[in-house]
mmCIF file of all heavy atoms in Angstrom:
data_model
loop_
_atom_site.group_PDB
_atom_site.id
_atom_site.type_symbol
_atom_site.label_atom_id
_atom_site.label_comp_id
_atom_site.label_asym_id
_atom_site.label_seq_id
_atom_site.Cartn_x
_atom_site.Cartn_y
_atom_site.Cartn_z
ATOM 1 N N LEU A 1 -7.874 -12.374 17.707
ATOM 2 C CA LEU A 1 -7.713 -10.922 17.856
ATOM 3 C C LEU A 1 -8.512 -10.201 16.790
ATOM 4 O O LEU A 1 -8.816 -10.721 15.711
ATOM 5 C CB LEU A 1 -6.213 -10.520 17.810
ATOM 6 C CG LEU A 1 -5.459 -10.900 19.041
ATOM 7 C CD1 LEU A 1 -3.983 -10.660 18.868
ATOM 8 C CD2 LEU A 1 -5.937 -10.134 20.281
ATOM 9 N N ASP A 2 -8.910 -9.007 17.106
ATOM 10 C CA ASP A 2 -9.774 -8.227 16.209
ATOM 11 C C ASP A 2 -8.980 -7.453 15.164
ATOM 12 O O ASP A 2 -9.478 -7.106 14.084
ATOM 13 C CB ASP A 2 -10.584 -7.208 16.978
ATOM 14 C CG ASP A 2 -11.437 -7.915 18.071
ATOM 15 O OD1 ASP A 2 -12.415 -8.586 17.713
ATOM 16 O OD2 ASP A 2 -11.070 -7.774 19.270
ATOM 17 N N GLY A 3 -7.688 -7.167 15.474
ATOM 18 C CA GLY A 3 -6.899 -6.330 14.550
ATOM 19 C C GLY A 3 -5.443 -6.595 14.761
ATOM 20 O O GLY A 3 -4.994 -7.151 15.815
ATOM 21 N N VAL A 4 -4.663 -6.135 13.803
ATOM 22 C CA VAL A 4 -3.198 -6.171 13.817
ATOM 23 C C VAL A 4 -2.707 -4.783 13.402
ATOM 24 O O VAL A 4 -3.167 -4.246 12.397
ATOM 25 C CB VAL A 4 -2.621 -7.279 12.906
ATOM 26 C CG1 VAL A 4 -1.155 -7.272 12.920
ATOM 27 C CG2 VAL A 4 -3.166 -8.647 13.345
ATOM 28 N N MET A 5 -1.717 -4.294 14.179
ATOM 29 C CA MET A 5 -1.100 -3.018 13.786
ATOM 30 C C MET A 5 0.354 -3.293 13.449
ATOM 31 O O MET A 5 1.097 -3.890 14.205
ATOM 32 C CB MET A 5 -1.201 -1.997 14.968
ATOM 33 C CG MET A 5 -0.453 -0.720 14.712
ATOM 34 S SD MET A 5 -0.624 0.451 16.118
ATOM 35 C CE MET A 5 -2.203 1.198 15.719
ATOM 36 N N ILE A 6 0.765 -2.860 12.270
ATOM 37 C CA ILE A 6 2.128 -3.099 11.778
ATOM 38 C C ILE A 6 2.805 -1.721 11.653
ATOM 39 O O ILE A 6 2.220 -0.800 11.076
ATOM 40 C CB ILE A 6 2.143 -3.826 10.442
ATOM 41 C CG1 ILE A 6 1.397 -5.202 10.606
ATOM 42 C CG2 ILE A 6 3.577 -4.097 9.960
ATOM 43 C CD1 ILE A 6 1.350 -6.020 9.382
ATOM 44 N N GLY A 7 4.081 -1.672 12.116
ATOM 45 C CA GLY A 7 4.824 -0.449 12.063
ATOM 46 C C GLY A 7 5.922 -0.473 11.007
ATOM 47 O O GLY A 7 5.721 -0.249 9.854
ATOM 48 N N ARG A 8 7.151 -0.796 11.424
ATOM 49 C CA ARG A 8 8.337 -0.663 10.648
ATOM 50 C C ARG A 8 8.267 -1.514 9.346
ATOM 51 O O ARG A 8 8.696 -1.043 8.297
ATOM 52 C CB ARG A 8 9.586 -1.017 11.427
ATOM 53 C CG ARG A 8 10.005 0.104 12.400
ATOM 54 C CD ARG A 8 11.049 -0.369 13.376
ATOM 55 N NE ARG A 8 10.513 -1.261 14.344
ATOM 56 C CZ ARG A 8 11.277 -1.982 15.198
ATOM 57 N NH1 ARG A 8 12.567 -1.858 15.127
ATOM 58 N NH2 ARG A 8 10.729 -2.799 16.061
ATOM 59 N N ALA A 9 7.718 -2.707 9.423
ATOM 60 C CA ALA A 9 7.689 -3.500 8.189
ATOM 61 C C ALA A 9 6.805 -2.836 7.133
ATOM 62 O O ALA A 9 7.115 -2.910 5.885
ATOM 63 C CB ALA A 9 7.133 -4.917 8.532
ATOM 64 N N ALA A 10 5.743 -2.179 7.533
ATOM 65 C CA ALA A 10 4.835 -1.547 6.616
ATOM 66 C C ALA A 10 5.542 -0.352 6.008
ATOM 67 O O ALA A 10 5.198 0.131 4.874
ATOM 68 C CB ALA A 10 3.563 -1.099 7.271
ATOM 69 N N TYR A 11 6.481 0.274 6.711
ATOM 70 C CA TYR A 11 7.224 1.411 6.190
ATOM 71 C C TYR A 11 8.350 0.962 5.286
ATOM 72 O O TYR A 11 8.482 1.506 4.155
ATOM 73 C CB TYR A 11 7.741 2.252 7.348
ATOM 74 C CG TYR A 11 8.368 3.550 6.843
ATOM 75 C CD1 TYR A 11 7.592 4.695 6.661
ATOM 76 C CD2 TYR A 11 9.746 3.621 6.535
ATOM 77 C CE1 TYR A 11 8.128 5.853 6.192
ATOM 78 C CE2 TYR A 11 10.262 4.803 6.086
ATOM 79 C CZ TYR A 11 9.511 5.918 5.890
ATOM 80 O OH TYR A 11 10.027 7.069 5.380
ATOM 81 N N HIS A 12 9.129 0.024 5.731
ATOM 82 C CA HIS A 12 10.364 -0.357 4.988
ATOM 83 C C HIS A 12 10.056 -1.255 3.804
ATOM 84 O O HIS A 12 10.819 -1.214 2.818
ATOM 85 C CB HIS A 12 11.368 -0.985 5.940
ATOM 86 C CG HIS A 12 11.899 -0.067 6.906
ATOM 87 N ND1 HIS A 12 12.588 1.095 6.559
ATOM 88 C CD2 HIS A 12 11.929 -0.106 8.294
ATOM 89 C CE1 HIS A 12 12.971 1.695 7.660
ATOM 90 N NE2 HIS A 12 12.551 1.008 8.728
ATOM 91 N N THR A 13 8.981 -2.070 3.905
ATOM 92 C CA THR A 13 8.651 -2.967 2.812
ATOM 93 C C THR A 13 7.132 -2.818 2.521
ATOM 94 O O THR A 13 6.367 -3.758 2.736
ATOM 95 C CB THR A 13 8.976 -4.436 3.085
ATOM 96 O OG1 THR A 13 8.370 -4.827 4.309
ATOM 97 C CG2 THR A 13 10.478 -4.621 3.119
ATOM 98 N N PRO A 14 6.632 -1.593 2.159
ATOM 99 C CA PRO A 14 5.239 -1.304 2.103
ATOM 100 C C PRO A 14 4.465 -2.238 1.166
ATOM 101 O O PRO A 14 3.343 -2.624 1.433
ATOM 102 C CB PRO A 14 5.131 0.147 1.701
ATOM 103 C CG PRO A 14 6.439 0.412 1.001
ATOM 104 C CD PRO A 14 7.451 -0.417 1.743
ATOM 105 N N CYS A 15 5.088 -2.548 0.034
ATOM 106 C CA CYS A 15 4.384 -3.366 -0.922
ATOM 107 C C CYS A 15 4.088 -4.802 -0.429
ATOM 108 O O CYS A 15 3.047 -5.375 -0.678
ATOM 109 C CB CYS A 15 5.150 -3.443 -2.270
ATOM 110 S SG CYS A 15 5.185 -1.783 -3.069
ATOM 111 N N ASP A 16 5.050 -5.343 0.341
ATOM 112 C CA ASP A 16 4.865 -6.663 0.871
ATOM 113 C C ASP A 16 3.683 -6.735 1.828
ATOM 114 O O ASP A 16 2.974 -7.741 1.875
ATOM 115 C CB ASP A 16 6.125 -7.101 1.630
ATOM 116 C CG ASP A 16 7.334 -7.386 0.719
ATOM 117 O OD1 ASP A 16 7.095 -7.404 -0.521
ATOM 118 O OD2 ASP A 16 8.435 -7.540 1.225
ATOM 119 N N ILE A 17 3.451 -5.626 2.575
ATOM 120 C CA ILE A 17 2.361 -5.649 3.566
ATOM 121 C C ILE A 17 1.056 -5.181 2.946
ATOM 122 O O ILE A 17 -0.009 -5.740 3.216
ATOM 123 C CB ILE A 17 2.753 -4.690 4.708
ATOM 124 C CG1 ILE A 17 4.082 -5.156 5.399
ATOM 125 C CG2 ILE A 17 1.587 -4.599 5.707
ATOM 126 C CD1 ILE A 17 3.985 -6.519 6.088
ATOM 127 N N LEU A 18 1.089 -4.093 2.140
ATOM 128 C CA LEU A 18 -0.114 -3.429 1.754
ATOM 129 C C LEU A 18 -0.730 -3.853 0.428
ATOM 130 O O LEU A 18 -1.915 -3.745 0.263
ATOM 131 C CB LEU A 18 0.174 -1.922 1.775
ATOM 132 C CG LEU A 18 0.427 -1.323 3.161
ATOM 133 C CD1 LEU A 18 0.956 0.068 3.038
ATOM 134 C CD2 LEU A 18 -0.858 -1.357 3.976
ATOM 135 N N LEU A 19 0.058 -4.236 -0.532
ATOM 136 C CA LEU A 19 -0.556 -4.525 -1.885
ATOM 137 C C LEU A 19 -1.522 -5.703 -1.859
ATOM 138 O O LEU A 19 -2.477 -5.695 -2.640
ATOM 139 C CB LEU A 19 0.558 -4.778 -2.919
ATOM 140 C CG LEU A 19 1.330 -3.503 -3.348
ATOM 141 C CD1 LEU A 19 2.336 -3.884 -4.385
ATOM 142 C CD2 LEU A 19 0.410 -2.416 -3.860
ATOM 143 N N ASP A 20 -1.341 -6.641 -0.935
ATOM 144 C CA ASP A 20 -2.221 -7.763 -0.872
ATOM 145 C C ASP A 20 -3.177 -7.664 0.286
ATOM 146 O O ASP A 20 -4.027 -8.569 0.525
ATOM 147 C CB ASP A 20 -1.471 -9.123 -0.765
ATOM 148 C CG ASP A 20 -0.685 -9.453 -2.035
ATOM 149 O OD1 ASP A 20 -1.174 -9.056 -3.101
ATOM 150 O OD2 ASP A 20 0.371 -10.088 -1.940
ATOM 151 N N ALA A 21 -3.115 -6.561 1.041
ATOM 152 C CA ALA A 21 -3.884 -6.512 2.273
ATOM 153 C C ALA A 21 -5.395 -6.515 2.001
ATOM 154 O O ALA A 21 -6.172 -7.135 2.706
ATOM 155 C CB ALA A 21 -3.488 -5.235 3.026
ATOM 156 N N ASP A 22 -5.819 -5.776 0.914
ATOM 157 C CA ASP A 22 -7.272 -5.669 0.702
ATOM 158 C C ASP A 22 -7.871 -7.072 0.366
ATOM 159 O O ASP A 22 -8.929 -7.392 0.876
ATOM 160 C CB ASP A 22 -7.546 -4.659 -0.450
ATOM 161 C CG ASP A 22 -7.301 -3.245 0.002
ATOM 162 O OD1 ASP A 22 -7.001 -2.994 1.204
ATOM 163 O OD2 ASP A 22 -7.586 -2.321 -0.852
ATOM 164 N N ALA A 23 -7.151 -7.806 -0.442
ATOM 165 C CA ALA A 23 -7.664 -9.122 -0.811
ATOM 166 C C ALA A 23 -7.585 -10.089 0.372
ATOM 167 O O ALA A 23 -8.573 -10.830 0.574
ATOM 168 C CB ALA A 23 -6.864 -9.688 -1.992
ATOM 169 N N ARG A 24 -6.537 -10.073 1.122
ATOM 170 C CA ARG A 24 -6.315 -11.108 2.130
ATOM 171 C C ARG A 24 -7.072 -10.776 3.490
ATOM 172 O O ARG A 24 -7.515 -11.651 4.180
ATOM 173 C CB ARG A 24 -4.862 -11.325 2.391
ATOM 174 C CG ARG A 24 -4.171 -11.900 1.208
ATOM 175 C CD ARG A 24 -2.698 -12.325 1.522
ATOM 176 N NE ARG A 24 -2.632 -13.240 2.603
ATOM 177 C CZ ARG A 24 -1.518 -13.714 3.168
ATOM 178 N NH1 ARG A 24 -0.358 -13.291 2.663
ATOM 179 N NH2 ARG A 24 -1.507 -14.535 4.156
ATOM 180 N N ILE A 25 -7.093 -9.489 3.872
ATOM 181 C CA ILE A 25 -7.650 -9.156 5.160
ATOM 182 C C ILE A 25 -9.078 -8.728 5.047
ATOM 183 O O ILE A 25 -9.857 -8.908 5.936
ATOM 184 C CB ILE A 25 -6.789 -8.048 5.823
ATOM 185 C CG1 ILE A 25 -5.287 -8.424 5.910
ATOM 186 C CG2 ILE A 25 -7.289 -7.634 7.190
ATOM 187 C CD1 ILE A 25 -5.072 -9.699 6.780
ATOM 188 N N TYR A 26 -9.430 -8.081 3.895
ATOM 189 C CA TYR A 26 -10.748 -7.482 3.770
ATOM 190 C C TYR A 26 -11.603 -8.112 2.714
ATOM 191 O O TYR A 26 -12.706 -7.646 2.351
ATOM 192 C CB TYR A 26 -10.621 -5.997 3.473
ATOM 193 C CG TYR A 26 -9.857 -5.213 4.519
ATOM 194 C CD1 TYR A 26 -8.500 -4.935 4.303
ATOM 195 C CD2 TYR A 26 -10.438 -4.820 5.679
ATOM 196 C CE1 TYR A 26 -7.778 -4.252 5.266
ATOM 197 C CE2 TYR A 26 -9.711 -4.118 6.654
ATOM 198 C CZ TYR A 26 -8.366 -3.852 6.472
ATOM 199 O OH TYR A 26 -7.625 -3.167 7.367
ATOM 200 N N ALA A 27 -11.104 -9.223 2.091
ATOM 201 C CA ALA A 27 -11.861 -9.903 0.963
ATOM 202 C C ALA A 27 -12.274 -8.940 -0.098
ATOM 203 O O ALA A 27 -13.359 -9.074 -0.684
ATOM 204 C CB ALA A 27 -13.082 -10.622 1.579
ATOM 205 N N ASP A 28 -11.429 -8.007 -0.437
ATOM 206 C CA ASP A 28 -11.670 -7.091 -1.547
ATOM 207 C C ASP A 28 -10.600 -7.376 -2.595
ATOM 208 O O ASP A 28 -9.442 -7.078 -2.405
ATOM 209 C CB ASP A 28 -11.548 -5.635 -1.063
ATOM 210 C CG ASP A 28 -11.754 -4.623 -2.151
ATOM 211 O OD1 ASP A 28 -11.869 -4.972 -3.356
ATOM 212 O OD2 ASP A 28 -11.818 -3.447 -1.840
ATOM 213 N N PRO A 29 -10.961 -7.871 -3.739
ATOM 214 C CA PRO A 29 -9.981 -8.257 -4.748
ATOM 215 C C PRO A 29 -9.285 -7.099 -5.448
ATOM 216 O O PRO A 29 -8.349 -7.347 -6.178
ATOM 217 C CB PRO A 29 -10.809 -9.087 -5.772
ATOM 218 C CG PRO A 29 -12.191 -8.555 -5.615
ATOM 219 C CD PRO A 29 -12.384 -8.184 -4.136
ATOM 220 N N HIS A 30 -9.726 -5.886 -5.209
ATOM 221 C CA HIS A 30 -9.069 -4.716 -5.758
ATOM 222 C C HIS A 30 -7.566 -4.816 -5.454
ATOM 223 O O HIS A 30 -7.131 -5.136 -4.360
ATOM 224 C CB HIS A 30 -9.658 -3.472 -5.060
ATOM 225 C CG HIS A 30 -8.698 -2.310 -5.018
ATOM 226 N ND1 HIS A 30 -8.589 -1.419 -6.081
ATOM 227 C CD2 HIS A 30 -7.815 -1.895 -4.118
ATOM 228 C CE1 HIS A 30 -7.634 -0.525 -5.712
ATOM 229 N NE2 HIS A 30 -7.162 -0.812 -4.527
ATOM 230 N N GLY A 31 -6.799 -4.507 -6.448
ATOM 231 C CA GLY A 31 -5.352 -4.566 -6.179
ATOM 232 C C GLY A 31 -4.529 -3.769 -7.267
ATOM 233 O O GLY A 31 -5.039 -3.557 -8.352
ATOM 234 N N ARG A 32 -3.358 -3.357 -6.839
ATOM 235 C CA ARG A 32 -2.493 -2.597 -7.741
ATOM 236 C C ARG A 32 -1.113 -3.159 -7.641
ATOM 237 O O ARG A 32 -0.777 -3.779 -6.623
ATOM 238 C CB ARG A 32 -2.464 -1.133 -7.377
ATOM 239 C CG ARG A 32 -3.727 -0.365 -7.632
ATOM 240 C CD ARG A 32 -3.722 1.030 -7.023
ATOM 241 N NE ARG A 32 -4.924 1.775 -7.449
ATOM 242 C CZ ARG A 32 -5.435 2.756 -6.803
ATOM 243 N NH1 ARG A 32 -5.022 3.033 -5.568
ATOM 244 N NH2 ARG A 32 -6.484 3.394 -7.270
ATOM 245 N N SER A 33 -0.326 -2.939 -8.656
ATOM 246 C CA SER A 33 1.115 -3.309 -8.623
ATOM 247 C C SER A 33 1.909 -2.121 -8.033
ATOM 248 O O SER A 33 1.411 -1.059 -7.994
ATOM 249 C CB SER A 33 1.595 -3.671 -10.024
ATOM 250 O OG SER A 33 1.667 -2.482 -10.824
ATOM 251 N N ALA A 34 3.111 -2.451 -7.666
ATOM 252 C CA ALA A 34 4.038 -1.375 -7.177
ATOM 253 C C ALA A 34 4.230 -0.307 -8.294
ATOM 254 O O ALA A 34 4.312 0.903 -7.989
ATOM 255 C CB ALA A 34 5.351 -1.954 -6.720
ATOM 256 N N GLU A 35 4.353 -0.782 -9.543
ATOM 257 C CA GLU A 35 4.572 0.138 -10.613
ATOM 258 C C GLU A 35 3.283 1.025 -10.795
ATOM 259 O O GLU A 35 3.463 2.261 -11.044
ATOM 260 C CB GLU A 35 4.759 -0.635 -11.920
ATOM 261 C CG GLU A 35 6.138 -1.305 -11.958
ATOM 262 C CD GLU A 35 6.179 -2.702 -11.331
ATOM 263 O OE1 GLU A 35 5.123 -3.066 -10.695
ATOM 264 O OE2 GLU A 35 7.205 -3.365 -11.387
ATOM 265 N N ASP A 36 2.130 0.442 -10.657
ATOM 266 C CA ASP A 36 0.899 1.289 -10.670
ATOM 267 C C ASP A 36 0.952 2.425 -9.639
ATOM 268 O O ASP A 36 0.599 3.509 -9.923
ATOM 269 C CB ASP A 36 -0.371 0.411 -10.371
ATOM 270 C CG ASP A 36 -0.680 -0.589 -11.454
ATOM 271 O OD1 ASP A 36 -0.236 -0.366 -12.613
ATOM 272 O OD2 ASP A 36 -1.369 -1.602 -11.173
ATOM 273 N N VAL A 37 1.366 2.034 -8.491
ATOM 274 C CA VAL A 37 1.376 3.006 -7.370
ATOM 275 C C VAL A 37 2.354 4.165 -7.662
ATOM 276 O O VAL A 37 2.090 5.302 -7.403
ATOM 277 C CB VAL A 37 1.730 2.325 -5.975
ATOM 278 C CG1 VAL A 37 1.931 3.335 -4.916
ATOM 279 C CG2 VAL A 37 0.646 1.324 -5.648
ATOM 280 N N VAL A 38 3.482 3.810 -8.205
ATOM 281 C CA VAL A 38 4.518 4.865 -8.551
ATOM 282 C C VAL A 38 3.879 5.811 -9.574
ATOM 283 O O VAL A 38 3.932 7.045 -9.380
ATOM 284 C CB VAL A 38 5.798 4.202 -9.186
ATOM 285 C CG1 VAL A 38 6.689 5.321 -9.703
ATOM 286 C CG2 VAL A 38 6.501 3.430 -8.069
ATOM 287 N N HIS A 39 3.183 5.295 -10.549
ATOM 288 C CA HIS A 39 2.577 6.232 -11.530
ATOM 289 C C HIS A 39 1.449 7.042 -10.912
ATOM 290 O O HIS A 39 1.277 8.221 -11.276
ATOM 291 C CB HIS A 39 2.038 5.377 -12.765
ATOM 292 C CG HIS A 39 3.133 4.955 -13.672
ATOM 293 N ND1 HIS A 39 3.723 5.784 -14.598
ATOM 294 C CD2 HIS A 39 3.689 3.732 -13.832
ATOM 295 C CE1 HIS A 39 4.641 5.132 -15.282
ATOM 296 N NE2 HIS A 39 4.645 3.862 -14.845
ATOM 297 N N LEU A 40 0.667 6.464 -10.014
ATOM 298 C CA LEU A 40 -0.389 7.206 -9.361
ATOM 299 C C LEU A 40 0.201 8.285 -8.411
ATOM 300 O O LEU A 40 -0.547 9.257 -8.091
ATOM 301 C CB LEU A 40 -1.265 6.235 -8.537
ATOM 302 C CG LEU A 40 -2.166 5.372 -9.440
ATOM 303 C CD1 LEU A 40 -2.809 4.237 -8.591
ATOM 304 C CD2 LEU A 40 -3.266 6.121 -10.103
ATOM 305 N N MET A 41 1.425 8.129 -7.975
ATOM 306 C CA MET A 41 2.034 9.116 -7.101
ATOM 307 C C MET A 41 2.448 10.374 -7.884
ATOM 308 O O MET A 41 2.614 11.472 -7.293
ATOM 309 C CB MET A 41 3.270 8.568 -6.383
ATOM 310 C CG MET A 41 2.941 7.634 -5.212
ATOM 311 S SD MET A 41 2.089 8.498 -3.873
ATOM 312 C CE MET A 41 3.368 9.642 -3.309
ATOM 313 N N LEU A 42 2.631 10.277 -9.227
ATOM 314 C CA LEU A 42 3.156 11.391 -9.995
ATOM 315 C C LEU A 42 2.371 12.629 -9.943
ATOM 316 O O LEU A 42 2.897 13.740 -9.743
ATOM 317 C CB LEU A 42 3.465 10.917 -11.357
ATOM 318 C CG LEU A 42 4.437 9.733 -11.601
ATOM 319 C CD1 LEU A 42 4.631 9.373 -13.020
ATOM 320 C CD2 LEU A 42 5.791 10.089 -10.931
ATOM 321 N N PRO A 43 1.020 12.572 -10.072
ATOM 322 C CA PRO A 43 0.268 13.852 -9.989
ATOM 323 C C PRO A 43 0.317 14.460 -8.586
ATOM 324 O O PRO A 43 0.360 15.724 -8.439
ATOM 325 C CB PRO A 43 -1.196 13.442 -10.316
ATOM 326 C CG PRO A 43 -1.033 12.153 -11.041
ATOM 327 C CD PRO A 43 0.163 11.510 -10.501
ATOM 328 N N TYR A 44 0.363 13.634 -7.565
ATOM 329 C CA TYR A 44 0.524 14.064 -6.169
ATOM 330 C C TYR A 44 1.883 14.779 -5.995
ATOM 331 O O TYR A 44 1.905 15.884 -5.399
ATOM 332 C CB TYR A 44 0.412 12.911 -5.238
ATOM 333 C CG TYR A 44 0.501 13.268 -3.767
ATOM 334 C CD1 TYR A 44 -0.602 13.695 -3.062
ATOM 335 C CD2 TYR A 44 1.710 13.153 -3.083
ATOM 336 C CE1 TYR A 44 -0.525 13.999 -1.704
ATOM 337 C CE2 TYR A 44 1.800 13.495 -1.766
ATOM 338 C CZ TYR A 44 0.724 13.900 -1.059
ATOM 339 O OH TYR A 44 0.809 14.229 0.301
ATOM 340 N N ILE A 45 2.876 14.170 -6.551
ATOM 341 C CA ILE A 45 4.241 14.809 -6.477
ATOM 342 C C ILE A 45 4.241 16.148 -7.208
ATOM 343 O O ILE A 45 4.750 17.168 -6.673
ATOM 344 C CB ILE A 45 5.294 13.827 -7.140
ATOM 345 C CG1 ILE A 45 5.502 12.680 -6.151
ATOM 346 C CG2 ILE A 45 6.545 14.570 -7.392
ATOM 347 C CD1 ILE A 45 6.307 11.527 -6.767
ATOM 348 N N ALA A 46 3.664 16.204 -8.391
ATOM 349 C CA ALA A 46 3.623 17.455 -9.178
ATOM 350 C C ALA A 46 2.931 18.541 -8.387
ATOM 351 O O ALA A 46 3.373 19.716 -8.332
ATOM 352 C CB ALA A 46 2.975 17.212 -10.526
ATOM 353 N N GLU A 47 1.784 18.212 -7.725
ATOM 354 C CA GLU A 47 1.043 19.249 -6.935
ATOM 355 C C GLU A 47 1.912 19.709 -5.770
ATOM 356 O O GLU A 47 1.919 20.889 -5.440
ATOM 357 C CB GLU A 47 -0.229 18.648 -6.548
ATOM 358 C CG GLU A 47 -1.093 19.656 -5.730
ATOM 359 C CD GLU A 47 -2.456 19.059 -5.299
ATOM 360 O OE1 GLU A 47 -2.724 17.909 -5.550
ATOM 361 O OE2 GLU A 47 -3.237 19.817 -4.690
ATOM 362 N N HIS A 48 2.584 18.741 -5.128
ATOM 363 C CA HIS A 48 3.406 19.103 -3.967
ATOM 364 C C HIS A 48 4.512 20.072 -4.379
ATOM 365 O O HIS A 48 4.796 21.059 -3.692
ATOM 366 C CB HIS A 48 4.002 17.834 -3.340
ATOM 367 C CG HIS A 48 4.954 18.083 -2.262
ATOM 368 N ND1 HIS A 48 4.514 18.613 -0.986
ATOM 369 C CD2 HIS A 48 6.264 17.832 -2.093
ATOM 370 C CE1 HIS A 48 5.560 18.677 -0.198
ATOM 371 N NE2 HIS A 48 6.601 18.273 -0.834
#
């Protein structure tokens, strides 16, 4: 298959699905931890 679409699992356990997706699906070693993502959300939250 050419692609996979994930719904509820990506919402309820986003880190399990998304944090390793770039490395495993797209061969891009870029990665962040869940804690990194929380900190990166803070400016977005402040602006909101």
